Every structure is written in structure tokens, then in C-alpha cells.
Amino acid sequence: IFVWGAQLEAGAFATSYIPTVASTVTRAADNASMTGTNFSSWYNQAQGSLYAESDDNGTNTNGAATLFNIGANGNNAIAFYGNGTLNATRLLVRLNTVYVINTSSSVTTQPIKQAASFKDGAVSGTANGSLFVTNVNVNIPHNLETLYIGYFPGTVSYLTGHIRKLSYYPVALSSSNLVALTS
């Protein structure tokens, strides 16, 4: 029998294969993203809702749980951040380099269940069943073209934990629906 590419994992789950040849190799971060028609075929630029369930081990103070973003530097974005060190979660809406929403909520239990709905004039956000952003009268970016999962491009902000579930709804859900999703 010829076996190639076997690896032993010390962690709780298998990771991607890294050929080491004759020396130790450091794993680069796994950056998941979706662009082009793979993204634009399902994303509604006018309104939507996000749900993310994740845990954060607290080793990165800006670990991103999920992110919708245009460009490599985040000039326009709708994003969730988790901060395991501070037991907080954050909802960001950035429009033309200006943070129109940058609000956090304290969370004491893991996993963190976050949800947000957004359309021009109405943005809401919840974490673990508590509403922390309510109908903020701001405009949202309408030219998003990339979905990033687990990191914020242009910075060194990676999720240092696990994403259990991601969901996207092409409509802005009500605040009561967001609370129910995250309870």
C-alpha cells in the first residue's frame, strides 16, 4: 500500500493539508471569500439580514465573525466583530470610509449569536437575544461586492475561534425576529 499526504492532528478537528517536505512549516490563515457573480447572484444591495453563531477564544481582540465588504481596505462594509478578550460583540456599518454605526454589546456566554438587519434608514442588531442597535436612521452601502468570512481585510483581524452557522436573508427582518433568532 502506498500512502501519501497523511497528517496527524492534535486538535479536535482536521485542518487543511500542509506539505512540510523536510522542515516545519507555519500555517497561513485560511481566508474565505466570495466575489463576482458568486456573490452578486444572491446578495440584495437594498436590504438584508445577517445571522452568525460563533465562539471566540479571546486571543485576538478584533476577531471578525463575518463580514460583507467592498475593496481590500473596508471603505464600505457591514460587519460583525467578536471580541473574546472583552466579552463583547460589535456591529459596524462603514459608508465611504466613515463608520455610520460602530456599536458594541457585552456578551457573557459562548457561542455568540448575532443578527442584524439593514436597509436605508433602518439598521438593527442583536446579540444573544438582546437588542443593542435599534432602527438607526443611516444609509447603508449599496456597492458591496465581496463576502469575507472570518477576517477583516486590510487589517490583521482574524476570528480566533469557530463559526458554527452563517445565514443571510435578502430582506430586512424585524427587530423582534432578530431577537428570536439570537435567543
Side-chain angles (χ1 to χ4, degrees):
I1 294 177
F2 178 70
V3 177
W4 175 85
Q7 73 183 46
L8 180 62
E9 294 286 345
F13 57 91
T15 59
S16 56
Y17 173 70
I18 302 173
T20 59
V21 186
S23 62
T24 303
V25 177
T26 302
R27 172 181 303 283
D30 291 327
N31 297 330
S33 63
M34 181 184 297
T35 61
T37 57
N38 290 330
F39 176 75
S40 64
S41 65
W42 57 268
Y43 182 72
N44 181 357
Q45 295 286 347
Q47 64 177 320
S49 298
L50 302 172
Y51 172 84
E53 185 177 333
S54 63
D55 55 51
D56 186 345
N57 66 16
T59 60
N60 182 349
T61 59
N62 292 312
T66 186
L67 172 67
F68 287 84
N69 181 7
I70 184 171
N73 58 8
N75 288 337
N76 293 292
I78 297 171
F80 284 134
Y81 274 94
N83 187 325
T85 303
L86 301 177
N87 292 323
T89 186
R90 182 174 300 277
L91 173 63
L92 303 174
V93 177
R94 189 170 178 178
L95 182 61
N96 299 321
T97 72
V98 176
Y99 287 105
V100 293
I101 295 176
N102 186 356
T103 305
S104 65
S105 174
S106 177
V107 290
T108 57
T109 60
Q110 300 270 352
I112 300 169
K113 296 178 181 180
Q114 304 170 167
S117 65
F118 45 90
K119 64 182 178 181
D120 281 340
V123 176
S124 297
T126 61
N128 291 351
S130 296
L131 198 62
F132 69 94
V133 176
T134 307
N135 295 322
V136 178
N137 189 16
V138 298
N139 289 328
I140 63 167
H142 292 281
N143 54 353
L144 303 179
E145 61 185 23
T146 304
L147 166 66
Y148 294 98
I149 299 173
Y151 80 109
F152 192 98
T155 67
V156 186
S157 296
Y158 297 93
L159 174 69
T160 53
H162 303 93
I163 297 173
R164 296 172 180 228
K165 183 177 182 179
L166 295 176
S167 298
Y168 169 76
Y169 303 87
V171 296
L173 298 175
S174 69
S175 294
S176 60
N177 283 341
L178 298 180
V179 169
L181 273 174
T182 60
S183 293

